[in-house]
Amino acid sequence: MGLASMLAAASTWPVRHLPNLRVAPPSVAYPSTLPLQLAGCERARSRIASWAEYEPSALLAAPRLAARLGVRELWLKDETRRLGVGSFKPLGGAYAVDTLASRGGSAFSTASAGNHGVGLAWGCRRARAACHVFVHGGVPERQAEKMRALGATVHRVEGDYEASVEACKEMSAAAGWQVVQDVSWEGYEQIPEAIYSGYQVIAAEMVDQWAAEGAQPPTHVFVNAGVGGLAAAVCSHLWARYGERRPRFVCVEPDAADCLMLSAKKGAMAACPPSDATTVQVGLDCRAPASLAWRVLEVGANDFVAIGDEVVQPCIDELASLPTPLKAGESAVAGLGVIIAAAAQPELAKGLQIGPNSRLAAIICEGRVK
């Protein structure tokens, strides 16, 4: 599909936008009372940078696409080749395993919709530790095979993602495995905070890469969101580093799993009601936010957007056609989908304050799983 055809289609894409009325004004510095401080990122970055496999992922300018979308700049952070795994997730799970294994841990577990489990398996193989991953029925078998290829034992669970989390907690308690989950709950925040500190490395690289190229900070950053861990990590880091110049921060979720938008509407963390609705964006198919992430996003995110699966394949095709082709996965393109939709839907562009002078950035957070 050419861009003209895609923009015609994008004019009909279902998009729901909710401005966050509780967002802190630009003059407010990043609060020291919130989780995910810069010190945690620096600890994570120092350890991750010591890995032989580590190198910063590419931050790609897309000037031709930006011009065709009617904005000044478009930047794409390419996580499709990160650490040879194909997503940003090892920056969190593998970092947590590395830290815990250095303290004597030898068997780790998690629930995952795909990439977090792959990242944890990669980290456990690197640490020579046992790995158990609990996946629900919606997780493609190709993702489970990728985990097994990295040495993980995969446990299939009936139900949704939340059911796999509960099964992981129950079996791990009985077996003595250390849970390394990217979702927080009451009494379980230290490990998720370490995971999100690892995710902050993405934002740290972006800030450094813009500075190295003499580029101005973006006016808008779009981040795909499931439970909100990646979004909170990027939001917190950009806020702490840029202060009053921080970009407008936009969380993007699947229309079928919009727990962050629902929480923003209610003014408190909330789970999606039971539903048969599904999404091909399996990595974002989360029905309740992580409490740790919500503490950042409820005051740090400017906008919450929910978008339908109609955007997925056209965005994947567009990324594959770039001068530097990106082989993106289904859960990687929600943010880009909103950017393209805004080019075709004037009311959405107005609501997000996107115009000809806007400098936009999106994180392409996973590669295609073969």
Side-chain angles (χ1 to χ4, degrees), residues 117 120-122 124 130-133 144 146-154:
L120 191 78
W122 183 87
C124 286
C131 180
H132 296 267
V133 184
K146 194 170 181 180
M147 298 170 201
R148 294 186 187 102
L150 289 166
T153 299
V154 176

Side-chain angles (χ1 to χ4, degrees), residues 29 41 46 89 113 116 160 164 181 286 302:
C41 175
S46 176
K89 288 288 189 177
H116 175 61
D160 57 11
S164 67
Q181 195 60 55
C286 303
N302 297 84

Side-chain angles (χ1 to χ4, degrees), residues 88-361:
F88 71 97
K89 288 288 189 177
L91 291 173
Y95 165 61
V97 164
D98 192 12
T99 303
L100 294 166
S102 70
R103 301 171 187 167
S106 60
F108 303 96
S109 63
T110 197
S112 176
N115 285 325
H116 175 61
V118 174
L120 191 78
W122 183 87
C124 286
R125 185 179 70 173
R126 189 176 177 280
R128 299 182 180 180
C131 180
H132 296 267
V133 184
F134 293 74
V135 301
H136 63 85
V139 176
E141 184 60 20
R142 63 181 185 273
Q143 281 283 33
E145 284 299 325
K146 194 170 181 180
M147 298 170 201
R148 294 186 187 102
L150 289 166
T153 299
V154 176
H155 306 263
R156 280 278 180 188
V157 176
E158 292 186 7
D160 57 11
Y161 172 76
E162 285 68 31
S164 67
V165 173
E166 292 306 312
C168 175
K169 289 160 65 174
E170 182 178 345
M171 189 174 294
S172 298
W177 305 328
Q178 173 66 67
V179 176
V180 181
Q181 195 60 55
D182 54 349
V183 179
S184 55
W185 53 82
E186 186 175 354
Y188 184 81
E189 288 197 341
Q190 187 174 0
I191 289 175
E193 185 162 357
I195 291 172
Y196 301 165
S197 293
Y199 296 166
Q200 282 186 289
V201 171
I202 298 168
E205 291 175 356
M206 293 170 76
V207 172
D208 291 351
Q209 288 165 343
W210 279 314
E213 296 194 19
Q216 295 185 60
T219 59
H220 299 67
V221 172
F222 295 75
V223 179
N224 311 323
V227 299
L230 173 62
V234 176
C235 179
S236 64
H237 195 86
L238 296 177
W239 185 355
R241 291 283 294 275
Y242 284 132
E244 290 187 356
R245 298 185 303 149
R246 77 182 196 261
R248 188 179 185 111
F249 192 83
V250 185
C251 289
V252 187
E253 305 172 275
D255 189 61
D258 59 346
C259 59
L260 295 172
M261 178 179 281
L262 180 62
S263 298
K265 282 181 181 176
K266 294 191 172 184
M269 196 172 74
C272 296
S275 170
D276 293 331
T278 60
T279 174
V280 299
Q281 301 171 76
V282 177
L284 310 181
D285 189 10
C286 303
R287 306 308 170 105
S291 57
L292 192 70
W294 180 244
R295 286 171 58 194
V296 173
L297 295 174
E298 68 175 333
V299 292
N302 297 84
D303 303 272
F304 296 93
V305 181
I307 196 161
D309 284 350
E310 293 88 344
V311 313
V312 172
Q313 194 58 52
C315 287
I316 288 174
D317 293 342
E318 182 62 32
L319 290 171
S321 72
L322 293 176
T324 302
L326 302 184
K327 297 180 180 179
E330 288 88 349
S331 299
V333 298
L336 178 61
V338 173
I339 292 171
I340 293 171
Q345 300 182 24
E347 284 302 311
L348 178 61
K350 181 179 178 181
L352 294 171
Q353 297 183 10
I354 295 174
N357 291 319
S358 296
R359 303 182 301 275
L360 313 182

